[in-house]
Amino acid sequence: MQNNYVSIDTLKFLLYNVHQTEDLLSRERFSDYDKTAIDIFLDSIKTFSDTALFPFIKDMDEKPSYFENGSIKVHPQFENIIKLGGEMGIVGLGFDYDDGGLQLPSAIFHAAYFIMEAANNHVSGYFGLTAGAANLILSFGSQKLKDMYVPNMLNLTWGGTMCLTESQAGSSLSDIKTTATPTNEDYHLINGQKIFISAGDHQFSNNFVHLVLARIKGAPSGIKGVSLFVVPKKRPDKNGKLLYNSADIVGEFEKMGQKGYCTTHIVFGDNNDCRGWLVGEPNKGLSYMFQMMNEARIATGRMGAAIASAAYYSSLKYANERPQGRKLNSSGQKNIEEEQTLIINHPDIKRMLFTQKAIVEGSMSLIFQTSNYFDKEITSTSQEDKEKYNLLLELLTPIAKTYPAEKGIESTSNAVQILGGYGFCFDFMPQQYYRDIRIIALYEGTTGIQSLDLLGRKITVKNGKALKFLAEEIQQTINSANNYNNLKPYATMLLENVGLVQKVISILMPHALKGNYERFLADATVFMDFLGTIVVGWQWLKTASTAQETLEKNEGNQSNAFYESKIHTMKFFYTYELIKTKGLAKTLMNNEELTISISKEVF
């Protein structure tokens, strides 16, 4: 297997040129870094991915994680991966220096994880969930909890998880039944079960720190009565010795993809001595957990884009090597005497490759856009700027999770299609990537849940202030694109779509104002597709404008063909993808209520 799963040139072009990440390095928080240091770091991540991750992705699929004698066994290569990841400080890339982290910009953190996930998407969750759990403890936990758990999590001696889902509740967290009983000590007794716990256990970490949502006995019903607890698999005593804490692994969910990435079933308190330590204040657990969930949502979208990237380069390689068929001559006939042409010369293959390229690179750019807003929010001194970047980040988070997930599935399906029958065979990678990526639309809230969040919360927050800020950001890109004659038609098309968003919302909002929320939100997933496509269209116009400027100033460090390919792919996206928003808008503005108050008998 060749290590061809990501374009580092494209990644750095998006980071440095399109999103001006280097400008962030002038801010005090990131002032210890310069572009040279960042390049060295990213190159080290690529080397790690080439040697420790990518060569094992197929074997992890063929030798998946499994449950045995109360614990999870993962692929033996994880021993090396966990060791190297701990030495490289991968868990603490974005953490403060004071907390033992590297204090890198969020954009660089996401770039590093993108490379690793494109190389092997079965691995990064073990890093990312540990980072998310540690960050939650740092943000809301007591100093005792911080000192007890975080250092061992940052060096990957211990792993970390988030434990939300229960079998009877699913995504409806107001229905969780796991309980926390107060004691006379500094802990609660935890009792309950959690399912679908990613990275919940393995033989190469000697402890796991579970962040568990539970209801303290006597707490209010619903989400207002949910608290957050640190529940270790093994609890440290006063001398640091690890003791059994009745947090038992009772099974592993066998999945269609990501088989090297374990998904566990955990039972807490079977012997009535599972101890959990409250994080922050009682009954605020869900608000705390949303910090980790929002981080995980962007990370999930990033993983979708990364898997689609690996599938794209796999199918591109095949298309450049596979001869089949002949090109048509001027009379529309094939000359059977000619040698077969490579399939990349067929227009329909090019269409599928461009679809993949447009989705992968557009999704990458969207992830870096959210990173840019996160970094600006935490480093800005103006409260007005902080509010602006926070609202933009909140608005784009469900889109950044969903677009790369849903469109990544479509992109990877095209990779399978390009290989024809071979794409369906285990000898070639696209079939595995197709199985691996399907879960991305389910992780951290399904597409439907993300869509309800987008339309029901983010669009309406502060009377549409976030959407107003987004329109201003898009207008800046349109203004830049209008400086170049070849981009003006596409700038006009994007401007028309901004107007179309306002028109759609003006039709939908009266339903909410009348209290008819079911009608308002009935087509939230269609709205997600609609707005997500426009947002990625914005990213492509920004990318094309940057490429055009680079060509005209002759300042690029890549060939002209590299920058021209970005402009060409933007044109493809607008012609084949952005055009779809008109049809989606018609669906959203249709007066017929085809999914409301319909008898189940029609099915």
Side-chain angles (χ1 to χ4, degrees), residues 367-379:
I367 297 300
F368 292 145
Q369 185 71 65
T370 62
S371 303
N372 182 278
Y373 291 147
F374 177 85
D375 289 329
K376 286 181 176 177
E377 179 193 352
I378 64 172
T379 57

Side-chain angles (χ1 to χ4, degrees), residues 18 54 68 103 116 119 177 194 248 255 262 264 283 300 335 366 391 408 433 455 458 566 575-576 592:
V18 177
F54 187 73
E68 182 181 78
Q103 206 162 297
M116 292 188 289
K177 293 182 178 180
K194 297 290 183 177
D248 299 314
K255 312 186 295 292
C262 74
T264 62
N283 305 325
T300 299
N335 183 355
L366 175 57
L391 287 173
Y433 292 131
L455 182 56
K458 305 303 171 57
K566 305 307 178 193
T575 303
Y576 286 82
E592 289 193 88

Side-chain angles (χ1 to χ4, degrees), residues 307-347:
I307 298 171
S309 172
Y312 166 58
Y313 285 105
S314 177
S315 65
L316 177 61
K317 179 177 181 294
Y318 182 88
N320 275 302
E321 295 174 351
R322 168 69 170 174
Q324 185 175 318
R326 294 161 181 84
K327 299 195 73 173
L328 298 176
N329 59 29
S330 58
S331 59
Q333 302 298 314
K334 298 178 183 178
N335 183 355
I336 199 67
E337 301 301 324
E338 289 182 354
E339 289 189 7
Q340 289 188 324
T341 189
L342 295 175
I343 64 171
I344 198 170
N345 294 319
H346 298 307

